C-alpha cells in the first residue's frame, strides 16, 4: 500500500503516519524527519537545509526529491509518505519519476484541522526553533501559499479523501483506515 498524508504543520501527519505504518506493515517516510536528522548529523545536506527548516521555509525541490528517492524505492511493502509532496511542482515532478518505477501513490489523505488547534498543538510541542511562535505563523503561511493549491490540484480524484483531523488521534486513525478500506473496494491497494 502506498499512501500520502497531506496537512498543515501540526495537523498530525507524523502521528497518523506512524500508526498507519505499524498497522499495515509499511514504511513511514517523513521528509521533515529525514531533513531534521541530516541537520542533527551535520551532513552536507543538513548544512544546506538548516536555515530553511529553522525558518519554516520549504527546502528546494531537488534536494528533497533526491533525498526521498532511495527510501521510496526501497519500501518493498509500500509506504506512507508524510510531508511530501507539498507543492504542485513536487507532485508533478515526483509522479513522473515514481510512475516509471511502478511505485506511484494509491491514496492520499488530507488531514483537515482548524488553525487555532494547529497553533495550540505546535506551541505546546516546542520541537525547536521551528516551533517558535513567529516561525509557526510563517509555516502556516507557507502552507496556505504552497500546499493549499496542491489540495485544489488533487481535488475530485477518487483516491483523495479529506478527514477531520481535529478529533482524537484514535478517531482520526479509525476514519483514515475506513477511507482506505472503502477505496480498496474499487481500486487495487495491496502491498507493492
Ligand atoms: P515537517 O516535519 O513535515 O513539518 P510540518 O509540516 O510543519 O508538520 P509537523 O511535523 O510539525 O506536524 P505534523 O503534521 O507531522 O503533526 P504531528 O503528528 O507532529 O517539515 C519540517 C520542515 O522541513 C518544513 O518546514 C520544510 O522546511 C522542510 N520540508 C519538509 N518536507 C518538505 C518538502 N516536501 N519540500 C520542501 N521542504 C520540506 O503533531 C503535532 C503535535 O500535535 C504533536 O505534539 C502531536 O502529539 C499533537 N497531535 C497530533 N495529533 C493530534 C490529535 N489528533 N489531537 C491532539 N493533538 C495531536
Ligand atoms: Mg511531522
Amino acid at each position: 500500500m502506498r499512501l500520502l498524508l497531506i496537512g498543515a504543520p501540526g495537523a498530525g501527519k507524523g502521528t497518523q503516519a506512524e500508526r498507519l505504518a505499524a498497522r499495515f506493515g509499511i514504511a513511514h517516510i517523513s521528509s521533515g524527519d529525514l531533513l531534521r536528522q541530516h541537520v542533527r548529523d551535520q551532513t552536507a545536506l543538513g548544512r544546506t537545509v538548516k536555515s530553511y527548516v529553522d525558518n519554516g521555509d520549504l527546502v528546494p525541490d531537488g534536494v528533497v526529491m533526491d533525498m526521498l528517492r532511495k527510501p521510496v524505492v526501497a519500501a518493498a511493502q509500500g509506504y506512507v509518505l508524510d510531508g511530501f509532496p507539498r507543492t504542485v511542482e513536487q507532485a508533478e515532478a515526483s509522479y513522473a519519476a515514481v510512475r516509471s518505477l511502478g511505485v506511484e501513490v494509491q491514496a492520499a489523505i488530507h488531514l483537515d484541522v482548524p488553525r487555532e488547534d494547529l497553533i495550540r498543538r505546535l506551541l505546546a510541542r516546542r520541537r525547536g526553533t521551528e516551533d517558535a511562535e513567529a516561525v509557526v505563523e510563517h509555516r502556516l503561511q507557507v502552507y496556505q501559499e504552497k500546499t493549499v493549491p496542491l489540495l485544489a490540484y488533487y481535488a475530485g480524484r477518487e483516491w483523495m479523501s479529506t478527514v477531520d483531523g481535529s478529533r482524537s488521534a484514535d478517531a482520526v486513525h479509525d476514519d483514515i483506515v475506513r477511507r482506505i478500506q472503502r477505496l480498496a473496494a474499487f481500486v487495487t491497494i495491496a502491498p507493492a
Side-chain angles (χ1 to χ4, degrees):
M1 184 191 303
R2 297 184 298 272
L3 306 172
L4 288 187
L5 288 184
I6 307 172
K13 301 183 293 297
T15 304
Q16 295 300 328
E18 204 178 302
R19 290 172 180 231
L20 291 165
R23 176 153 187 159
F24 294 111
I26 56 180
H28 173 195
I29 305 174
S30 162
S31 50
D33 288 352
L34 291 170
L35 290 166
R36 279 185 292 276
Q37 190 62 49
H38 276 283
V39 171
R40 276 195 297 274
D41 294 346
Q42 300 185 12
T43 64
L45 193 152
R47 286 193 293 273
T48 307
V49 303
K50 182 176 185 338
S51 64
Y52 293 94
V53 174
D54 285 350
N55 296 328
D57 283 315
L58 295 186
V59 167
D61 290 352
V63 175
V64 180
M65 290 184 54
D66 286 349
M67 181 186 74
L68 292 177
R69 189 167 298 116
K70 209 165 153 189
V72 166
V73 171
Q77 302 306 313
Y79 57 77
V80 49
L81 200 44
D82 145 15
F84 182 92
R86 254 174 151 87
T87 64
V88 173
E89 291 75 17
Q90 288 183 359
E92 287 179 337
S94 59
Y95 184 70
V98 293
R99 180 123 198 251
S100 62
L101 298 168
V103 291
E104 69 269 32
V105 69
Q106 294 165 308
I109 304 289
H110 164 214
L111 292 172
D112 192 20
V113 176
R115 184 185 158 84
E116 316 80 77
D117 294 13
L118 298 170
I119 294 175
R120 187 162 13 86
R121 289 181 188 180
L122 293 172
L123 294 183
R125 180 181 63 184
R126 297 266 177 217
R127 187 162 58 191
T129 319
E130 62 177 321
D131 286 344
E133 201 163 348
V135 181
V136 163
E137 268 304 323
H138 183 62
R139 285 162 63 201
L140 291 171
Q141 193 184 333
V142 170
Y143 176 76
Q144 277 302 324
E145 283 170 16
K146 305 280 172 78
T147 309
V148 169
L150 176 65
L151 296 174
Y153 173 80
Y154 280 156
R157 318 246 176 154
E158 70 282 357
W159 45 264
M160 169 84 188
S161 278
T162 295
V163 164
D164 172 3
S166 68
R167 297 162 296 168
S168 72
D170 284 345
V172 176
H173 175 75
D174 291 346
D175 195 356
I176 295 174
V177 171
R178 271 196 305 275
R179 306 288 179 125
I180 294 170
Q181 285 166 344
R182 211 175 303 152
L183 187 61
F186 65 95
V187 295
T188 312
I189 299 185

